[in-house]
Every structure is written in structure tokens, then in C-alpha cells.
Amino acid sequence: MTENQVIQETELKQKDLMNKFIHVIENHELSHSYLFNGEEGVGKLSLALFITMRMFCKNVTDDSMPCGKCDECRRIATQQHPDVVIIKPEGLSIKVDQIRYLKSEFSKSGLEGNKKFFIIQDAEKMTTGAANSLLKFIEEPGANIVSFLLTTNRNLILPTIISRTQVVDLESLSEDTFNKELEKVGVAPSQFKLLGKLTNRISTVKEWQEEDWIKNSTSVVGHWFDYLTKRDGDAFVIIQSNLMPLMTDNNKKQSLINMLLSIFEDVLNAKYIGNDDFCFPKQAANIKLLASQLSESQLVQIIETILNCNSKMAVNVSFQNILEATTLRILKILE
Ligand SMILES: [Zn+2]
């Protein structure tokens, strides 16, 4: 990230916490260790970098923001500051050697009394050895060290660590903010509603966009639904030919199930709420048609059938089999 991106992202995603921390810093009340807990993409890293910039900045602005221009701000944002170290998993975990490295860097760097900040990303991935090693480190008396542990799941952090940190929960992005982020990565507004149901990670959306996955998969699901509306067996046929080639990882499979659910939730909406704010706006005509044809019990059965896919996935039934069986079952319910 650049220094301006850090400031902008923090302001956009976590303005309340940003202001709170500015206040804390002005009152010299910054704690020695924080645990930032929140979903992927809510701005944990940018908030930690922002606070660090605010502490090191040589030209704090009149409204108490880091300037975003000085050498300190720049080196922190670009992760090149000698007194600011960021640790992230190497492979699947954060290993004890990485924490030892952090300790040795901090013990040899700088003059006595220099403040030192470190940030641990995906802190839940610390091995027990790493966590124990860290524990001694954050407890070291008199050290001028501030640490930020970032996690998407505080339940996976050792209680001994939690008890020595101040836990800060970062709220999910508001719908507005998330949509703005979607727009930035080129998602069409007509797909905002659906994507909001599939993921809260902008990084995932970015990957999908690069492969054109959203466009392709929503198009096939749309066709699948159109065939179902016509009670046409091609709904079964396109699973192997058109849908399976798009199912290249588990996350996509899970998202596909959620797409199938979303389109039938659209039918429910059309039937009971009567708005046309659909996840699949291109299918609006058929959504309304099915809404008028199906009874409540038929709709409930269909949704239950789709929900069942999750438990079948959990026991490793082949995904193609799951989708085909589900489609046959829905065709039967529609008869
Ligand atoms: Zn600065």
C-alpha cells in the first residue's frame, strides 16, 4: 500500500475506530498490545499501519492525522521501516523461528528507547510454540514496544495471548462501503446484491473478476434456472457441460450453492414481498413466473433441497453428482 492508500482505506472502512485511536494517542493512552478481530477485508492492516504512521509521523496535521508525506509515513506504509516489522504466515503457519527473528531484530535495532511496532497478520495461524515465544516478548517489562495482532477468528487465539492484549472488534463493512469497493474492482451494480450474499472479501471478488468468473457463473446459473422454469431437462445437461468447468475450487462450489439459493430466494421475494430487487435481475421475468406458479410448500422443498447440498459436500460426494441429483429433485418438485 502507499501512504495515501493507508489513510484513505482507514478513513473509508473504519472511521470511528480511526478517530478513537487518534484520541487515544493524543492522550498518550496507547496500550502495548492490541488484538484486531474482524472479517477479511474490513481494514485491520490499514488501521494498524495508520496508528503506526500517526505515532511515527514527523508532520502530524492540524486535525491530528499522519501527514502521509514524510519519510516515516512512507516507509511504514510500504513496509520498509526498520522499527516496524510485519510478520505473516510462511506457508500454513507462523512458526517459532519467525517470532525469534522478530525478537532478534528488535533487540539489535536502533538506539535505546526507540519505539518499535510490530504487526502479526493472521495471528490465529501461530503455532503454539510461536504463541508462547510471543507471550514472553509482549510481556517484557519496560520495552517500548507496541504490537498489533490481526485475526479473522479470535476464538483460535490462545487465551493467554488474549488476556494480555486489548481486543478490538472491527465491524463488517457497511453495505455502502462494500458496494463502493465492488465498484472499484469493476463489478456491475446489477451484481452488487448477489455478491453481498456470496462473500465479504474484496480480495476474493478481485480474483473472480480476473477470471470473469462472476459473469460466467451467473450466466450459467441463469440458464439453469430458465430451463427449470420451462421444466426442461437441459437444466440437468448443462451441469456437466457448462457449470462443472467453472467449479475449480471449494470456495467457488460453496458460492455456487449460495447462488442457487439466492435465485430461489428471489422467487420467494417476488411471491411474498413483491419487490424486484433481485440477485438475478436478468431472470426477473421467469422469477415472477415461477413465483406465480409455485405453492409455498413447493418453494420450501426446493430451498431445502438446495440447502442439503451443504451436508452432501461435507461428506465428500462428488460435486457434479450433488448438483445433478439436486436438479432432478427440483424438476420433480416442479412437475
Ligand atoms: Zn508523516
Side-chain angles (χ1 to χ4, degrees), residues 1-10 13 43-50 53 73-79 86 121:
M1 277 192 277
T2 68
E3 48 280 24
N4 284 324
Q5 278 168 345
V6 170
I7 296 172
Q8 282 164 8
E9 189 171 317
T10 310
K13 294 183 173 175
K44 297 184 290 292
L45 178 62
S46 58
L47 180 63
L49 289 171
F50 177 91
M53 279 163 64
C73 283
R74 188 183 53 76
R75 286 194 297 172
I76 291 165
T78 55
Q79 307 184 9
I86 299 183
Q121 290 185 277

Side-chain angles (χ1 to χ4, degrees), residues 53 56-60 66-74:
M53 279 163 64
F56 283 78
C57 179
K58 289 176 189 151
N59 298 304
V60 173
C67 74
K69 295 184 186 104
C70 70
D71 206 37
E72 299 283 297
C73 283
R74 188 183 53 76

Side-chain angles (χ1 to χ4, degrees), residues 8-15 41-43 171 173 177 181:
Q8 282 164 8
E9 189 171 317
T10 310
E11 238 179 333
L12 175 74
K13 294 183 173 175
Q14 297 296 338
K15 191 160 190 180
V42 297
E171 280 181 35
L173 300 187
T177 309
E181 295 286 297

Side-chain angles (χ1 to χ4, degrees), residues 279-296:
C279 291
F280 284 82
K282 280 187 188 159
Q283 270 60 46
N286 280 337
I287 287 169
K288 289 178 189 167
L289 180 65
L290 264 196
S292 68
Q293 293 171 342
L294 295 186
S295 67
E296 181 177 346

